[in-house]
Amino acid sequence: MNDGKTIPLNSAMYGSVTSSEAATTTTTQSAGVDTLISPTSEQYEKNMHGLVGSLFDPSEEEDIPLLYFHSFYSCFKWLCSWMIPGLGMFSEAYFIFSIGNIKPILGKQFPNCWTAHKTCGKTITQIPDYIQIVGIILGMCTLGYLGDKIGRKWGSVFTASIMLVGAILLTATDAPTDRGFVIFYIIAQFTFGYGVGGEYPMAAGSAAERAEAKGRASARKRGREVVLTFSMQGLGNFTNTAVLCILLAVFSSTKPNNITHRYTAWRLGGVWRTAYGIGMIPILYMLYYRIFRLRESAVWKKRKTGESRNMGLLFKHYWPRLLATCGAWFLWDFSFYGNKVFQSTFIAVLSPSGADLEETLLWTLLNSGVALIGYWLAAAVVDNPKIGRLRLQLLGFAADAILFYIAAAVYPSLTSKKGLPTFQFIYFFSSFWGQFGPNCTTFLLAGELYPTEVRTTAHGISAGVAKLGALWATIWFNYDPLLVSRNKFWATATFNVVGFILTLMFLPDPLRISLAETDRRWRYIMAGRTYHGEAINPKSLSIFEWAVLRLHKDYDRKLDAQEALEDLRELGLEVKDSRNGNYIASNGDSARGKGANGFNNGFGNPATMGQPLKDSVVNV
């Protein structure tokens, strides 16, 4: 019998939302915006009983609707719940993707340096295209580890502070000579890139943990929350392009003599400096919010134990997943950043008569708008069990590979006057499929597949390796004189094919697994014990993990239910026998319990063991 204060074990592990969770959900809905963005530790502890085992019953494979609100205020809170945490990704895209947008402006402002290369060498003017990526790689590898050490809150504050310094330097870039200007610009780009590098693992880890902390119902929409946070990247790119279009109109001469002399150097400088200055506004608000209003991740606080950060065990047991998240993301970023950094080159093909600054930016704005739709549609379907993360990533890789192969195969006819409409469709449609697929899922999966203690470290490693793909594309596209536009399509198509194969073989879909269950398996690994739970269910394993490593051989749902019973007791939930009403004695000091090999449980906080949560009783 369930009296509203007891929780049937099968419901807590496998079934629908219980009345206890429903009460928590109601409380969360009525809470303020800050609580939605960073739930309290008390909320997380009350919700943890629903996070053991699978998040989906076989009988509840229904779709999860994206938009449903009771009032305008609930809609506003929902928007704030992912837009405020996503401000870092917004700023990242606003500044980083502006490289391709601002490069033509700098070419007209400093023609002797950026175009004729009389006062600056060609090589030094190409460094800004990739120096920011170098900073991002270093930031991902170092600041991701820092997030696991000092927490998500202060790690996020540190990254935002570095981004603010970089933004100030970019806005103030100046020097008495053209060469000095370029050197100052390079230093500013590197500084901002280093801060952005930490934003990737912080944003992914925090968004996933935030959804988990709000309970089982929210955990089932974890992917949506992470992807919506990441979609701020697309909004940042779109906003930067729109701002530049408006500023070009504002700073243009009222009576231009001709198109070549339409803008003076002062006016062009005012365009990009004002754009960068506007970009500092969300960074300032983001820094304020993180310092004074953001709570520390409840999931991280619950899991933080120094001995759990065993990188050797991570590589030993999770190397196929690291190969998949690093490799697939590397292959995708080669395609994605190669197109972004050199989008003005591609757009020149779309306007063979020669596009001016406004036309180039308007084409870019259209491409950014198409991509933004892809982000939001990905958020709508990523938690649907019929689609999920894995199918979405495979679909995106396959679609882009086909589109780029078509573009490369018939490139001469597509770039003719008659074929340009088809070429435009292929180029913009490929942008949609990229955001709808691998651009969102690579970010999401690297934040879901690893235990909490090493989550931002593993995400940082994956993202850092990914940016090597972006760096490779940037340098290759810059310095290889034989790599004409047609060959760029051949290269990116092939990289998408390899990404499809790597995803298919090595990447599992964590849709059905809570972060708590992933952490529970990690605790068993740390203790040297055999794990039998849902994290090794064949549905939650990759083809390689299932067929080659045979991790599913230890999967035993009944045995895991017995072990989970003790885990729930050690978590602080009292266990009650529904047949006689007696409380079941703890086996915490037995060989199964904390006396063996220092094993605590799948949740690992000895300080709370034996302290039952109010009104939280497991009825078995």
mmCIF file of all heavy atoms in Angstrom, residues 358-385:
data_model
loop_
_atom_site.group_PDB
_atom_site.id
_atom_site.type_symbol
_atom_site.label_atom_id
_atom_site.label_comp_id
_atom_site.label_asym_id
_atom_site.label_seq_id
_atom_site.Cartn_x
_atom_site.Cartn_y
_atom_site.Cartn_z
ATOM 1 N N GLU A 358 27.323 44.198 -46.620
ATOM 2 C CA GLU A 358 25.942 43.958 -46.188
ATOM 3 C C GLU A 358 25.396 42.656 -46.740
ATOM 4 O O GLU A 358 24.775 41.870 -46.017
ATOM 5 C CB GLU A 358 25.029 45.125 -46.619
ATOM 6 C CG GLU A 358 25.293 46.418 -45.873
ATOM 7 C CD GLU A 358 26.274 47.303 -46.629
ATOM 8 O OE1 GLU A 358 27.052 46.752 -47.438
ATOM 9 O OE2 GLU A 358 26.274 48.524 -46.414
ATOM 10 N N GLU A 359 25.646 42.404 -48.022
ATOM 11 C CA GLU A 359 25.118 41.184 -48.630
ATOM 12 C C GLU A 359 25.747 39.950 -48.010
ATOM 13 O O GLU A 359 25.062 38.949 -47.746
ATOM 14 C CB GLU A 359 25.365 41.202 -50.138
ATOM 15 C CG GLU A 359 24.727 40.013 -50.858
ATOM 16 C CD GLU A 359 24.928 40.055 -52.358
ATOM 17 O OE1 GLU A 359 25.471 41.059 -52.856
ATOM 18 O OE2 GLU A 359 24.537 39.073 -53.019
ATOM 19 N N THR A 360 27.059 40.006 -47.761
ATOM 20 C CA THR A 360 27.746 38.879 -47.123
ATOM 21 C C THR A 360 27.139 38.575 -45.765
ATOM 22 O O THR A 360 26.863 37.417 -45.420
ATOM 23 C CB THR A 360 29.240 39.186 -46.973
ATOM 24 O OG1 THR A 360 29.812 39.384 -48.263
ATOM 25 C CG2 THR A 360 29.963 38.042 -46.271
ATOM 26 N N LEU A 361 26.899 39.617 -44.971
ATOM 27 C CA LEU A 361 26.345 39.411 -43.630
ATOM 28 C C LEU A 361 24.890 38.965 -43.680
ATOM 29 O O LEU A 361 24.441 38.191 -42.818
ATOM 30 C CB LEU A 361 26.481 40.699 -42.817
ATOM 31 C CG LEU A 361 27.902 41.009 -42.322
ATOM 32 C CD1 LEU A 361 27.964 42.391 -41.703
ATOM 33 C CD2 LEU A 361 28.367 39.963 -41.320
ATOM 34 N N LEU A 362 24.134 39.410 -44.662
ATOM 35 C CA LEU A 362 22.746 38.970 -44.774
ATOM 36 C C LEU A 362 22.663 37.486 -45.122
ATOM 37 O O LEU A 362 21.799 36.761 -44.609
ATOM 38 C CB LEU A 362 22.008 39.811 -45.819
ATOM 39 C CG LEU A 362 21.662 41.249 -45.392
ATOM 40 C CD1 LEU A 362 21.097 42.035 -46.560
ATOM 41 C CD2 LEU A 362 20.673 41.242 -44.220
ATOM 42 N N TRP A 363 23.553 37.017 -46.002
ATOM 43 C CA TRP A 363 23.608 35.582 -46.280
ATOM 44 C C TRP A 363 23.972 34.812 -45.002
ATOM 45 O O TRP A 363 23.406 33.750 -44.708
ATOM 46 C CB TRP A 363 24.640 35.283 -47.367
ATOM 47 C CG TRP A 363 24.170 35.496 -48.770
ATOM 48 C CD1 TRP A 363 24.663 36.382 -49.680
ATOM 49 C CD2 TRP A 363 23.115 34.789 -49.444
ATOM 50 N NE1 TRP A 363 23.982 36.287 -50.867
ATOM 51 C CE2 TRP A 363 23.027 35.301 -50.748
ATOM 52 C CE3 TRP A 363 22.232 33.779 -49.065
ATOM 53 C CZ2 TRP A 363 22.099 34.840 -51.680
ATOM 54 C CZ3 TRP A 363 21.304 33.323 -49.989
ATOM 55 C CH2 TRP A 363 21.251 33.848 -51.273
ATOM 56 N N THR A 364 24.924 35.342 -44.263
ATOM 57 C CA THR A 364 25.330 34.698 -43.012
ATOM 58 C C THR A 364 24.180 34.685 -42.009
ATOM 59 O O THR A 364 23.971 33.704 -41.289
ATOM 60 C CB THR A 364 26.533 35.448 -42.400
ATOM 61 O OG1 THR A 364 27.595 35.510 -43.354
ATOM 62 C CG2 THR A 364 27.031 34.748 -41.154
ATOM 63 N N LEU A 365 23.419 35.783 -41.961
ATOM 64 C CA LEU A 365 22.272 35.850 -41.057
ATOM 65 C C LEU A 365 21.236 34.791 -41.410
ATOM 66 O O LEU A 365 20.666 34.134 -40.526
ATOM 67 C CB LEU A 365 21.653 37.246 -41.128
ATOM 68 C CG LEU A 365 20.510 37.541 -40.142
ATOM 69 C CD1 LEU A 365 21.011 37.507 -38.714
ATOM 70 C CD2 LEU A 365 19.873 38.895 -40.453
ATOM 71 N N LEU A 366 20.991 34.593 -42.685
ATOM 72 C CA LEU A 366 20.048 33.563 -43.119
ATOM 73 C C LEU A 366 20.537 32.180 -42.703
ATOM 74 O O LEU A 366 19.762 31.355 -42.184
ATOM 75 C CB LEU A 366 19.860 33.627 -44.632
ATOM 76 C CG LEU A 366 18.972 32.537 -45.258
ATOM 77 C CD1 LEU A 366 17.568 32.579 -44.664
ATOM 78 C CD2 LEU A 366 18.931 32.689 -46.780
ATOM 79 N N ASN A 367 21.822 31.929 -42.896
ATOM 80 C CA ASN A 367 22.393 30.635 -42.507
ATOM 81 C C ASN A 367 22.285 30.425 -40.997
ATOM 82 O O ASN A 367 21.960 29.326 -40.530
ATOM 83 C CB ASN A 367 23.853 30.578 -42.947
ATOM 84 C CG ASN A 367 24.464 29.209 -42.739
ATOM 85 O OD1 ASN A 367 23.832 28.185 -42.988
ATOM 86 N ND2 ASN A 367 25.699 29.175 -42.275
ATOM 87 N N SER A 368 22.526 31.471 -40.212
ATOM 88 C CA SER A 368 22.429 31.373 -38.754
ATOM 89 C C SER A 368 20.994 31.108 -38.314
ATOM 90 O O SER A 368 20.754 30.359 -37.364
ATOM 91 C CB SER A 368 22.933 32.667 -38.108
ATOM 92 O OG SER A 368 24.268 32.933 -38.467
ATOM 93 N N GLY A 369 20.028 31.719 -39.004
ATOM 94 C CA GLY A 369 18.624 31.487 -38.671
ATOM 95 C C GLY A 369 18.197 30.056 -38.938
ATOM 96 O O GLY A 369 17.486 29.444 -38.127
ATOM 97 N N VAL A 370 18.632 29.498 -40.067
ATOM 98 C CA VAL A 370 18.329 28.103 -40.384
ATOM 99 C C VAL A 370 18.941 27.176 -39.335
ATOM 100 O O VAL A 370 18.310 26.217 -38.871
ATOM 101 C CB VAL A 370 18.847 27.748 -41.794
ATOM 102 C CG1 VAL A 370 18.714 26.253 -42.056
ATOM 103 C CG2 VAL A 370 18.084 28.537 -42.852
ATOM 104 N N ALA A 371 20.183 27.480 -38.939
ATOM 105 C CA ALA A 371 20.862 26.659 -37.928
ATOM 106 C C ALA A 371 20.132 26.723 -36.592
ATOM 107 O O ALA A 371 20.005 25.711 -35.892
ATOM 108 C CB ALA A 371 22.307 27.122 -37.770
ATOM 109 N N LEU A 372 19.640 27.910 -36.215
ATOM 110 C CA LEU A 372 18.954 28.074 -34.939
ATOM 111 C C LEU A 372 17.698 27.218 -34.869
ATOM 112 O O LEU A 372 17.379 26.645 -33.817
ATOM 113 C CB LEU A 372 18.608 29.549 -34.737
ATOM 114 C CG LEU A 372 18.050 29.969 -33.386
ATOM 115 C CD1 LEU A 372 18.997 29.576 -32.261
ATOM 116 C CD2 LEU A 372 17.802 31.472 -33.356
ATOM 117 N N ILE A 373 17.001 27.086 -35.987
ATOM 118 C CA ILE A 373 15.830 26.206 -36.024
ATOM 119 C C ILE A 373 16.259 24.767 -35.729
ATOM 120 O O ILE A 373 15.563 24.018 -35.029
ATOM 121 C CB ILE A 373 15.140 26.302 -37.391
ATOM 122 C CG1 ILE A 373 14.552 27.709 -37.591
ATOM 123 C CG2 ILE A 373 14.034 25.259 -37.522
ATOM 124 C CD1 ILE A 373 14.017 27.965 -38.981
ATOM 125 N N GLY A 374 17.410 24.375 -36.262
ATOM 126 C CA GLY A 374 17.918 23.035 -35.998
ATOM 127 C C GLY A 374 18.181 22.783 -34.528
ATOM 128 O O GLY A 374 17.862 21.707 -33.997
ATOM 129 N N TYR A 375 18.759 23.764 -33.823
ATOM 130 C CA TYR A 375 18.990 23.625 -32.375
ATOM 131 C C TYR A 375 17.677 23.348 -31.648
ATOM 132 O O TYR A 375 17.584 22.428 -30.818
ATOM 133 C CB TYR A 375 19.584 24.917 -31.811
ATOM 134 C CG TYR A 375 21.048 25.168 -32.069
ATOM 135 C CD1 TYR A 375 21.467 26.015 -33.097
ATOM 136 C CD2 TYR A 375 22.031 24.621 -31.242
ATOM 137 C CE1 TYR A 375 22.814 26.290 -33.305
ATOM 138 C CE2 TYR A 375 23.377 24.891 -31.446
ATOM 139 C CZ TYR A 375 23.764 25.728 -32.479
ATOM 140 O OH TYR A 375 25.088 25.996 -32.668
ATOM 141 N N TRP A 376 16.673 24.175 -31.934
ATOM 142 C CA TRP A 376 15.422 24.078 -31.182
ATOM 143 C C TRP A 376 14.632 22.807 -31.509
ATOM 144 O O TRP A 376 14.009 22.224 -30.624
ATOM 145 C CB TRP A 376 14.586 25.329 -31.447
ATOM 146 C CG TRP A 376 15.166 26.546 -30.794
ATOM 147 C CD1 TRP A 376 16.018 26.576 -29.715
ATOM 148 C CD2 TRP A 376 14.946 27.912 -31.154
ATOM 149 N NE1 TRP A 376 16.343 27.871 -29.399
ATOM 150 C CE2 TRP A 376 15.701 28.722 -30.250
ATOM 151 C CE3 TRP A 376 14.194 28.534 -32.139
ATOM 152 C CZ2 TRP A 376 15.717 30.115 -30.317
ATOM 153 C CZ3 TRP A 376 14.202 29.940 -32.207
ATOM 154 C CH2 TRP A 376 14.958 30.713 -31.309
ATOM 155 N N LEU A 377 14.672 22.365 -32.748
ATOM 156 C CA LEU A 377 14.004 21.107 -33.085
ATOM 157 C C LEU A 377 14.720 19.923 -32.443
ATOM 158 O O LEU A 377 14.081 18.938 -32.049
ATOM 159 C CB LEU A 377 13.929 20.941 -34.598
ATOM 160 C CG LEU A 377 12.917 21.846 -35.324
ATOM 161 C CD1 LEU A 377 12.926 21.555 -36.820
ATOM 162 C CD2 LEU A 377 11.514 21.654 -34.758
ATOM 163 N N ALA A 378 16.040 20.003 -32.335
ATOM 164 C CA ALA A 378 16.782 18.940 -31.643
ATOM 165 C C ALA A 378 16.335 18.852 -30.188
ATOM 166 O O ALA A 378 16.153 17.749 -29.645
ATOM 167 C CB ALA A 378 18.280 19.204 -31.728
ATOM 168 N N ALA A 379 16.152 19.995 -29.530
ATOM 169 C CA ALA A 379 15.684 19.998 -28.143
ATOM 170 C C ALA A 379 14.295 19.375 -28.029
ATOM 171 O O ALA A 379 13.972 18.729 -27.029
ATOM 172 C CB ALA A 379 15.663 21.430 -27.609
ATOM 173 N N ALA A 380 13.478 19.533 -29.057
ATOM 174 C CA ALA A 380 12.106 19.023 -29.016
ATOM 175 C C ALA A 380 12.045 17.501 -29.076
ATOM 176 O O ALA A 380 11.119 16.898 -28.538
ATOM 177 C CB ALA A 380 11.294 19.620 -30.165
ATOM 178 N N VAL A 381 13.017 16.862 -29.715
ATOM 179 C CA VAL A 381 12.913 15.414 -29.941
ATOM 180 C C VAL A 381 14.008 14.602 -29.252
ATOM 181 O O VAL A 381 13.939 13.368 -29.244
ATOM 182 C CB VAL A 381 12.952 15.097 -31.457
ATOM 183 C CG1 VAL A 381 11.823 15.801 -32.181
ATOM 184 C CG2 VAL A 381 14.299 15.466 -32.077
ATOM 185 N N VAL A 382 15.000 15.244 -28.637
ATOM 186 C CA VAL A 382 16.155 14.504 -28.138
ATOM 187 C C VAL A 382 15.788 13.565 -26.995
ATOM 188 O O VAL A 382 16.464 12.549 -26.771
ATOM 189 C CB VAL A 382 17.268 15.490 -27.697
ATOM 190 C CG1 VAL A 382 16.889 16.218 -26.414
ATOM 191 C CG2 VAL A 382 18.604 14.779 -27.558
ATOM 192 N N ASP A 383 14.711 13.852 -26.248
ATOM 193 C CA ASP A 383 14.291 12.985 -25.148
ATOM 194 C C ASP A 383 13.183 12.019 -25.539
ATOM 195 O O ASP A 383 12.679 11.282 -24.680
ATOM 196 C CB ASP A 383 13.824 13.829 -23.959
ATOM 197 C CG ASP A 383 14.978 14.518 -23.259
ATOM 198 O OD1 ASP A 383 16.010 13.855 -23.020
ATOM 199 O OD2 ASP A 383 14.872 15.715 -22.962
ATOM 200 N N ASN A 384 12.795 12.038 -26.792
ATOM 201 C CA ASN A 384 11.788 11.084 -27.263
ATOM 202 C C ASN A 384 12.441 9.715 -27.398
ATOM 203 O O ASN A 384 13.404 9.547 -28.160
ATOM 204 C CB ASN A 384 11.249 11.544 -28.624
ATOM 205 C CG ASN A 384 10.081 10.708 -29.111
ATOM 206 O OD1 ASN A 384 9.955 9.536 -28.743
ATOM 207 N ND2 ASN A 384 9.237 11.289 -29.933
ATOM 208 N N PRO A 385 11.956 8.698 -26.657
ATOM 209 C CA PRO A 385 12.594 7.377 -26.721
ATOM 210 C C PRO A 385 12.621 6.772 -28.124
ATOM 211 O O PRO A 385 13.447 5.902 -28.398
ATOM 212 C CB PRO A 385 11.729 6.529 -25.778
ATOM 213 C CG PRO A 385 11.088 7.511 -24.866
ATOM 214 C CD PRO A 385 10.855 8.743 -25.688
#
